[in-house]
Amino acid sequence: MRLATILSSAAHWSRAVLAVGAVSLLSACDYNFWRMDGHQSTIKVEGPVAKSQLDVFYVTCWVTLVIFILVGAVLAYASIKFKARTPEEEKAIPPEQGHGNPLIEIGLIGASVLALVVIAIPTLKGIWYTYDVPEDRKADTYEVTATGYQWWFKFDYPSEQIAGAGALTTANELVIPAGRPVRVNLRTIDVIHSFWIPKLAGKVDMIPNRANHLWFQADQPGYYWGQCAEFCGDSHAVMRFRVIALGPKDFNDWLTQQTSPARDVAPPRVATKDAPKVQFASLRTFKQNETGHTAKYDTSPLDAWKAQQFPEKGENAALIAQGKALFKEKACLSCHEVRGHGYAGISGPTLTHFGSRSTLAGALLENNTEQLHRWIHNPESVKPGNKMAKGYIDNNIKLTNEDEVALVAYLQSLK
Ligand code: HEC
Ligand SMILES: [Cu+2]
């Protein structure tokens, strides 16, 4: 009887061990899994705010681990020591149930309070620290405003005013100075969103009619992954953004580029009778919902982003001019701004320097020819429920492959 029990529980355990082993083996190939690192790791942090939050996490883990080991040990001791071993013991009447030992009970309450205090001190310190930029660093703070839209982020730079156009605005990619505190005012245009850059700072909600804020700092130049962390509708899971932290010179160069109007590629002076060459006509059939993301953003994302800042070689000026005209004809301008080209829509992301961004559609896709074409061709199949797809239907926007190719060339020229 007892042997059977032991055997069956042994079988049970071996199965569990096998399952755990299989899972570990499967993930063994993933180097980042073991380093607990990844684009959105909260363990491998890269700034003081995320670091202070990680510290609280570790304190809580250690305290609870100690409690777990102590309670587990007492439980194991009691189960083994007081186990009924003979048939007589099994039938024995349980000992009289007392009320307990006052000294032990008070001791346990005291120990629990102590454990809570140990957790509370760093927690409270962390809450104060992460709430706002410390006084001595305030003067060095860079301020931006992030606004959540279903399902993308808009970023405003109140300190960079452009004559006649208000504050500098961009979308989906927040470029910041590295090594300086950044204070982000959090706003939303519609529902509740939540702003989260796991490696740099914990999440804070963007709530209608409520002026929340957070601060963080990226210690080194880098390229960081962000995510909306509050369910906000159909495409919530793919409402992402990127943070690009740059050194002082790069940051200044970026500001200079962004505050200037959209790049204008002059059409060729000699009008050609031939229609512009269609470069990738075969790309009309796209695979559904397959995230377009090349390895260069895993291996050296900041370099890949920097490379994106320069105009591509061998641009087709005639095609770009055609795309520029189509942008108006096809009513893209009703939602999108291209500052300097006379397009001033506001309900969609600004496209003034769209070509210099490394991602598109709420940082869902990499901004390359294939993915951009795929997006413009059928936004709904890429990002279910998005407002641009609805705009295509409402405005009866129909694009031929040639239109799409020209629009892609135009958008890519906007560095
Ligand atoms: C009804 C408004 C509307 C119209 C019309 C519209 N768009 Fe959009 N567009 C949007 C919205 C909203 C987004 C953001 C979608 C998202 O990521 O959820 C967007 C995203 C984009 C993006 C990606 C921008 C980024 O940084 O993520 C591009 C490129 C773009 N649109 C191009 C176009 C072109 C080209 C046309 C015309 C053929 C067009 N749009 C027509 C609303 C519109
Ligand atoms: Cu959201």
Side-chain angles (χ1 to χ4, degrees):
M1 180 70 175
R2 269 179 69 195
L3 187 67
T5 325
I6 291 167
L7 280 180
S8 96
S9 77
H12 196 82
W13 276 103
S14 59
R15 240 176 290 143
V17 169
L18 270 179
V20 171
V23 170
S24 328
L25 263 182
L26 278 178
S27 29
C29 19
D30 187 353
Y31 177 59
N32 282 337
F33 176 85
W34 292 110
R35 284 172 63 231
M36 294 202 187
D37 200 0
H39 298 319
Q40 301 197 337
S41 169
T42 51
I43 305 284
K44 291 282 179 319
V45 296
E46 302 196 22
V49 170
K51 173 76 173 57
S52 90
Q53 288 158 339
L54 180 63
D55 289 345
V56 173
F57 170 77
Y58 277 137
V59 168
T60 317
C61 273
W62 287 121
V63 169
T64 45
L65 188 69
V66 169
I67 295 175
F68 175 77
I69 290 172
L70 286 178
V71 174
V74 172
L75 180 68
Y77 173 78
S79 326
I80 294 164
K81 165 103 188 178
F82 301 111
K83 189 172 163 32
R85 283 167 214 279
T86 58
E88 291 82 62
E89 277 181 0
E90 267 171 28
K91 275 185 234 125
I93 306 156
E96 199 189 320
Q97 302 296 300
H99 187 266
N101 181 330
L103 205 65
I104 292 183
E105 288 198 2
I106 292 172
L108 285 179
I109 292 172
S112 319
V113 170
L114 188 74
L116 288 178
V117 169
V118 168
I119 294 176
I121 292 172
T123 305
L124 288 173
K125 266 172 73 180
I127 290 174
W128 274 306
Y129 179 68
T130 55
Y131 180 71
D132 211 344
V133 184
E135 275 312 316
D136 57 329
R137 313 258 350 250
K138 276 237 160 83
D140 198 26
T141 304
Y142 195 80
E143 189 170 329
V144 292
T145 300
T147 309
Y149 284 67
Q150 280 174 320
W151 291 278
W152 57 280
F153 290 92
K154 184 178 93 171
F155 300 111
D156 292 301
Y157 291 70
S159 49
E160 319 300 334
Q161 293 292 330
I162 303 164
L168 166 67
T169 297
T170 178
N172 296 323
E173 295 195 351
L174 173 61
V175 179
I176 54 155
R180 279 174 68 179
V182 176
R183 190 191 141 110
V184 189
N185 304 310
L186 301 168
R187 306 286 182 268
T188 170
I189 202 87
D190 38 50
V191 300
I192 301 178
H193 301 276
S194 186
F195 186 83
W196 188 29
I197 318 154
K199 281 185 171 246
L200 298 176
K203 50 194 105 155
V204 176
D205 281 2
M206 306 167 123
I207 301 173
N209 299 320
R210 198 192 146 99
N212 276 354
H213 65 86
L214 62 73
W215 80 277
F216 66 88
Q217 175 179 312
D219 289 336
Q220 299 296 329
Y223 185 94
Y224 304 95
W225 272 247
Q227 169 78 43
C228 172
E230 174 76 40
F231 180 72
C232 58
D234 295 29
S235 272
H236 156 71
V238 290
M239 178 170 169
R240 303 174 187 164
F241 62 103
R242 299 284 191 267
V243 174
I244 294 102
L246 298 176
K249 181 176 179 304
D250 284 349
F251 185 63
N252 265 329
D253 289 351
W254 181 82
L255 284 178
T256 311
Q257 178 217 12
Q258 295 287 312
T259 44
S260 44
R263 189 168 158 258
D264 220 341
V265 180
R269 246 173 289 159
V270 191
T272 44
K273 268 183 248 133
D274 309 330
K277 245 205 336 245
V278 174
Q279 291 155 313
F280 42 99
S282 61
L283 281 178
R284 259 200 99 92
T285 43
F286 298 99
K287 287 179 206 141
Q288 302 262 315
N289 270 336
E290 179 202 329
T291 338
H293 183 71
T294 51
K296 64 183 175 187
Y297 283 94
D298 288 327
T299 44
S300 58
L302 188 60
D303 291 341
W305 180 86
K306 284 184 176 168
Q308 188 80 14
Q309 306 307 302
F310 301 99
E312 270 161 45
K313 288 194 196 90
E315 286 179 314
N316 184 335
L319 200 61
I320 292 172
Q322 192 192 339
K324 186 176 170 185
L326 277 167
F327 198 83
K328 184 176 174 189
E329 269 167 47
K330 298 292 176 184
C332 313
L333 85 173
S334 61
C335 299
H336 292 290
E337 171 204 56
V338 182
R339 183 163 36 84
H341 291 191
Y343 305 146
I346 53 164
S347 63
T350 174
L351 300 179
T352 305
H353 296 284
F354 171 76
S356 67
R357 300 205 287 261
S358 57
T359 58
L360 68 106
L364 167 61
L365 303 175
E366 186 178 307
N367 189 4
N368 57 38
T369 309
E370 186 184 358
Q371 300 304 333
L372 179 56
H373 192 171
R374 181 178 157 211
W375 170 252
I376 290 175
H377 175 62
N378 186 354
E380 179 65 25
S381 76
V382 175
K383 196 171 179 181
N386 81 80
K387 303 283 160 81
M388 172 150 145
K390 193 174 170 297
Y392 269 34
I393 299 166
D394 292 350
N395 297 299
N396 196 21
I397 297 180
K398 298 229 162 58
L399 304 173
T400 64
N401 190 51
E402 206 187 327
D403 295 342
E404 287 163 7
V405 170
L407 281 166
V408 166
Y410 171 58
L411 290 165
Q412 286 182 326
S413 77
L414 300 173
K415 296 286 180 175

